[in-house]
Structure formats: C-alpha cells, structure tokens
Amino acid sequence: MPTLLIADDSMFQRFQAAKVAREAGFDVLEAKDGAECLRLAHEHRPQALLLDLNMPDPGGLAVMEILARELPDIVVAVVTADIQETTRSRCLELGAKCFLNKPLDAADLTRALGSLLK
C-alpha cells in the first residue's frame, strides 16, 4: 500500500483526510506541524504528502522548499483555504502536483489521491 503523510495543524482536517485516504487504500501518517512533517517524511519516505500551507513551525512553503531539495520524489498535494497566485506559482515551482481547497471535499480528495501516484 502507498503511504500518505497528512500535514495539517487542524486535528479535524487530518482526521477527515485520513479517513478518505484509508478508504482509498493508503497507509496514513499524520503530522500536526512542519517540524513533525519533515521528521516523518525523512523517517518513512511516504509516496505522497497532503500539505496544509498555513501551519506552524515551519509553514507549508518552507516544508516544500526543504523537501524539494532533500526528498524530491514525494508527490505533494497542497491544501489551503485561500491561495494567492504568487503562492500558487511558487508551489508549482517546488513541485506541487495539485491544489485542494479547504474544507476538503471527500470526492475531490479521492480523485486527487488517485491521480497523485499515476
């Protein structure tokens, strides 16, 4: 089974996303902030990452910058409530494969998860 790392400071968002991901056949790891996300990414080498941009210590963009250098094979889906065009462009430069709006829609997440590993 592929592994998905969900990084979001909202426990509710992690719970909802994890439920959908498990139903889609993923093993799931959860991180509550950027530091935990980076630690789990280095320890477990997940195939995919569902990454909230607005989380603490460090934020999502900083996590993407680090992972782009250190673990570029992890496929990243960005999750955000609102994204400016400059931020979206930077995420794409750093390798983001897709963007999902908060609150997460289960059907949209299921489709995104299916396309992440193709």
Side-chain angles (χ1 to χ4, degrees):
M1 265 196 251
T3 301
L4 174 70
L5 173 54
I6 300 169
D8 197 311
D9 58 333
S10 166
M11 184 172 49
F12 178 75
Q13 290 293 330
R14 289 193 316 270
F15 174 81
Q16 293 292 92
K19 182 176 183 260
V20 171
R22 286 186 182 102
E23 290 171 358
F26 284 81
D27 282 331
V28 175
L29 301 167
E30 296 181 37
K32 67 184 177 310
D33 59 34
E36 187 175 26
C37 175
L38 291 169
R39 181 180 59 77
L40 290 172
H42 280 95
E43 286 177 13
H44 297 278
R45 309 288 173 137
Q47 286 78 24
L49 169 62
L50 193 61
L51 180 66
D52 177 25
L53 284 186
N54 295 318
M55 63 177 182
D57 187 31
L61 272 178
V63 167
M64 286 188 73
E65 289 169 354
I66 293 166
L67 292 179
R69 284 191 314 268
E70 297 176 4
L71 297 170
D73 292 337
I74 297 176
V75 179
V76 179
V78 172
V79 179
T80 186
D82 183 32
I83 190 164
Q84 297 174 6
E85 191 55 41
T86 55
T87 304
R88 182 182 182 86
S89 295
R90 182 66 180 139
C91 289
L92 290 170
E93 288 171 9
L94 293 169
K97 297 297 182 208
C98 68
F99 295 86
L100 295 165
N101 292 322
K102 278 188 173 185
L104 284 172
D105 175 78
D108 289 344
L109 178 56
T110 299
R111 276 191 297 279
L113 291 173
S115 69
L116 283 179
L117 299 181
K118 287 184 181 178

